[in-house]
Amino acid sequence: MRTVTIKSAEEIKRMREAGKRLNRVHEKLKESIRPGVSTKEIDRVCEELIRSCGCTPNFLHYEGYPASVCVSVNDEVVHGIPREDRILREGDIVSLDTGLIWQGYHSDAARTYGVGKISPKAQKLIEVTRESFFQGIEEAVAGRHLYDISNAIADYVISYGYGIVYELVGHGIGRSLHEPPEIPNFPQRRRGIRLKAGMTLAIEPMINIGNGEVEWQDDGWTVVTADHSLSAHYENTVLITDGRPEILTLL
Ligand code: MF3
Ligand code: CO
């Protein structure tokens, strides 16, 4: 089993820069969300934003994935493939998950947005999903344990009666997009590994209004809720320190 890497000061500098650049990409990319836009157009904008800041899209060609961003609409949980004929409509919710490489180091982050005016139910799901991440990182401190993060996310989400996707997890990140450890968002009986300063983690709750069951579509990528309820996703790349965690993909 590969072990969890501890980044050196030099590596952390690059991870910070990768995170900062990805945050800028997300801030610009959200301006492309409007009724009538195709998910493929969002991908074109995303790739251009990543390349124009001197970075490389890390999702593109990852295990054959054909785009720079995953655009997942409504009951799509994650890994929605951008398409020319998939048009966003007022009232949809859409999650944009993307990442980049800067000087050999990866960053990864996801946001969920409403398209135009959305229902209060959809808005609440987006807010609780985002907040569950912040509940999780309250525990993301050196000396605490990995699954303290998982349990904090899970407790918060369960208190709203939402379903936690249990087939997909967060992950370590660094010289690769996916490194150990896996970071579940659902309740764990054990505490997991002890967190250490210099670990970099992509923490990413994926939350459904209905239950946590998901299915894979025939394209081999798109994950949808089994009950077709709405799903939201929120993710940041985080650096563990001896004090409060640094959220590398937020300012
Ligand atoms: N953002 C996804 C994750 O967090 C990675 C997507 S891989 C891709 O693990 F191939 F779909 F891009
Ligand atoms: Co991720």
Side-chain angles (χ1 to χ4, degrees):
M1 199 191 81
R2 292 189 300 153
T3 54
V4 180
T5 57
I6 304 294
K7 274 71 180 181
S8 67
E10 187 51 42
E11 291 181 294
I12 288 169
K13 269 192 209 159
R14 293 182 186 191
M15 293 288 298
R16 267 199 198 107
E17 203 53 45
K20 201 186 284 178
R21 279 156 200 262
L22 182 56
N23 179 61
R24 268 189 240 135
V25 167
H26 263 296
E27 287 305 300
K28 284 268 179 217
L29 189 59
K30 74 178 177 202
E31 294 168 14
S32 66
I33 294 174
R34 58 178 190 284
V37 75
S38 74
T39 58
K40 183 74 185 177
E41 174 63 15
I42 293 171
D43 181 52
R44 278 192 290 267
V45 173
C46 186
E47 181 168 356
E48 173 57 27
L49 286 169
I50 290 172
R51 294 201 190 277
S52 68
C53 66
C55 299
T56 309
N58 52 3
F59 288 17
L60 187 61
H61 308 316
Y62 178 88
E63 292 183 5
Y65 185 75
S68 298
V69 57
C70 300
V71 186
S72 308
V73 185
N74 296 335
D75 66 342
E76 295 169 359
V77 179
V78 287
H79 304 167
I81 300 176
R83 288 186 352 220
E84 219 66 77
D85 63 351
R86 183 67 149 120
I87 308 296
L88 297 185
R89 294 205 227 147
E90 174 108 17
D92 286 343
I93 66 170
V94 59
S95 91
L96 305 183
D97 184 359
T98 184
L100 55 78
I101 309 171
W102 168 254
Q103 294 186 346
Y105 287 81
H106 290 251
S107 56
D108 182 7
R111 314 276 183 254
T112 302
Y113 302 107
V115 182
K117 196 172 158 42
I118 62 172
S119 71
K121 247 177 69 181
Q123 191 61 47
K124 187 76 193 168
L125 173 70
I126 292 173
E127 279 164 21
V128 169
T129 302
R130 181 177 184 279
E131 180 58 26
S132 73
F133 165 88
F134 288 96
Q135 295 289 319
I137 65 160
E138 286 294 314
E139 303 291 331
V141 178
R144 313 260 329 149
H145 290 253
L146 183 67
Y147 298 156
D148 296 338
I149 300 174
S150 305
N151 285 325
I153 292 171
D155 288 349
Y156 185 76
V157 170
I158 290 168
S159 76
Y160 285 89
Y162 291 140
I164 301 168
V165 176
Y166 51 85
E167 289 196 69
L168 298 156
V169 294
H171 49 94
I173 180 168
R175 291 194 66 83
S176 307
L177 173 57
H178 293 134
E179 294 185 353
E182 292 193 349
I183 311 172
N185 300 300
F186 45 93
Q188 302 294 309
R189 235 173 275 147
R190 300 167 196 247
R191 294 189 75 197
I193 59 162
R194 185 187 286 270
L195 298 172
K196 294 194 184 126
M199 289 180 176
T200 43
L201 307 175
I203 299 171
E204 49 178 321
M206 289 153 271
I207 308 300
N208 307 339
I209 285 188
N211 66 45
E213 299 276 343
V214 298
E215 290 170 355
W216 271 256
Q217 286 187 335
D218 292 338
D219 62 21
W221 282 101
T222 313
V223 180
V224 295
T225 57
D227 60 9
H228 297 295
S229 64
L230 294 179
S231 185
H233 184 199
Y234 186 78
E235 174 181 29
N236 284 300
T237 299
V238 171
L239 169 69
I240 304 297
T241 76
D242 291 315
R244 294 194 70 78
E246 250 185 75
I247 308 176
L248 302 180
T249 47
L250 272 184
L251 281 192

